[in-house]
Amino acid sequence: MKIAVLASGRGSNFEAIARAVKSGKIDGEIAVLIVDRKNIGAIERAERLGINWIYVDPHSHPSREDYDRKIVSILKYLQVDLVCLAGYMKIISEVFVDSFPNRIMNIHPALLPSFPGLKSHEKALQYGVKISGATVHFVDKGVDTGPIIVQVAVPVLPDDTPETLASRILQFEHRIYPQAVKWFVDGRIEIKGRNVTVRDADYSSLPVVPALEDF
Ligand code: GRF
C-alpha cells in the first residue's frame, strides 16, 4: 500500500508514520511527502529518512481547487492509496476529498468534536476542560468533522500552558497516528456512514480507544 503524507511544519507526526513504515510495522511504503512551505522541519526529516519530498508552490496556483488538482494529479500518478494530513495547514477542497473518498486521514490535537480548527490547546485551556486529547479521523468536506477512527484522552493539569498540554498530547499523537495507518493498511477499518470500526479491536478501556496494539 502506498502512503503519502502532507505537512506544513515540524513534521513529527510524519516522522512517526515514516519510522513505523521503515521498521516494517506498517506493511506499506511512503511514496512521497508533499509540502506547501519551504524550510520546514518536515523536509529535513524526509531528507534524513531518505523519503522523496515535493514542494508544491501555493502561489503558482490561482485557486485552492487548482492547487488541490495539482496535488491530486501527483498522488494519482504515484498510485497513492492513503493520504495522511500531518500538520497540514490548508483546508482541502471538495476536488481533493472526492478524489480520495475515505482515504484521507487527519490528526487533530483535541477530542473532536470539541475544539476543531486552529489553536485547539488554547481553546481547551480557556474552556477549562479537564480532559483533552487527540483524534485521528477520515477527512470529509468540513473542518475536522470527518468520521473518527481513534481517540486518546489526556489529562489537563492546573498549571498547563498551551505548550505543556501540546507536548503531553503529542507523545500520544505519535502512537495513535501510525496505529490508525496500520489498521487501515491491514484492512481492518470498516466505515458505515460516520461510524468507523476497527475489526477485532479492544474498545473497553482508556486512555486510547480502540486500544493501541502495536505502538
Ligand atoms: C500536531 O499537533 C497535529 O495534531 C496538528 O498539528 C501538529 C503538527 O505537528 N494537526 P507535527 O508537524 O506533526 O510535528
Side-chain angles (χ1 to χ4, degrees):
M1 193 159 291
K2 289 188 163 194
I3 302 160
V5 180
L6 271 60
S8 305
R10 180 177 56 187
S12 69
N13 279 289
F14 156 64
E15 178 160 353
I17 295 167
R19 286 197 182 280
V21 171
K22 268 193 183 283
S23 72
K25 278 194 190 177
I26 293 174
D27 183 15
E29 159 194 351
I30 306 271
V32 70
L33 166 75
I34 298 182
V35 298
D36 64 340
R37 292 183 193 177
K38 286 180 177 166
N39 305 316
I40 55 172
I43 295 177
E44 281 170 34
R45 292 177 200 260
E47 293 275 341
R48 239 186 291 129
L49 292 159
I51 292 169
N52 290 327
W53 60 271
I54 302 178
Y55 166 66
V56 183
D57 183 2
H59 308 291
S60 63
H61 298 82
S63 68
R64 217 166 47 134
E65 283 73 20
D66 280 320
Y67 188 73
D68 282 355
R69 264 189 280 274
K70 174 76 186 186
I71 290 182
V72 167
S73 73
I74 297 169
L75 298 173
K76 294 285 181 194
Y77 177 76
L78 294 172
Q79 299 183 311
V80 164
D81 303 291
L82 174 68
V83 180
C84 297
L85 309 183
Y88 184 62
M89 298 305 284
K90 286 198 162 42
I91 295 166
I92 69 172
S93 61
E94 259 184 61
V95 179
F96 196 162
V97 177
D98 287 341
S99 304
F100 289 90
N102 289 334
R103 287 181 168 262
I104 309 171
M105 287 184 188
N106 180 44
I107 187 156
H108 183 73
L111 283 178
L112 291 172
S114 291
F115 315 124
L118 296 173
K119 298 194 183 257
S120 37
H121 304 303
E122 281 89 335
K123 290 177 193 162
L125 290 174
Q126 233 163 36
Y127 200 95
V129 293
K130 302 299 174 247
I131 303 173
S132 191
T135 305
V136 179
H137 63 93
F138 285 112
V139 173
D140 66 6
K141 289 169 190 170
V143 176
D144 300 324
T145 53
I148 292 171
I149 302 164
V150 56
Q151 293 186 299
V152 58
V154 173
V156 180
L157 306 185
D159 294 331
D160 264 337
T161 61
E163 292 72 31
T164 57
L165 178 59
S167 78
R168 190 174 312 118
I169 292 174
L170 190 67
Q171 295 171 25
F172 276 103
E173 293 185 41
H174 296 160
R175 300 172 68 191
I176 64 172
Y177 210 171
Q179 182 69 73
V181 171
K182 180 172 167 63
W183 284 328
F184 183 89
V185 170
D186 291 346
R188 288 175 59 193
I189 294 189
E190 286 164 10
I191 310 167
K192 282 193 196 121
R194 280 205 60 82
N195 282 88
V196 177
T197 315
V198 180
R199 215 179 315 112
D200 299 325
D202 174 11
Y203 280 82
S204 66
S205 62
L206 289 168
V208 182
V209 184
L212 293 166
E213 295 169 359
D214 308 278
F215 297 92

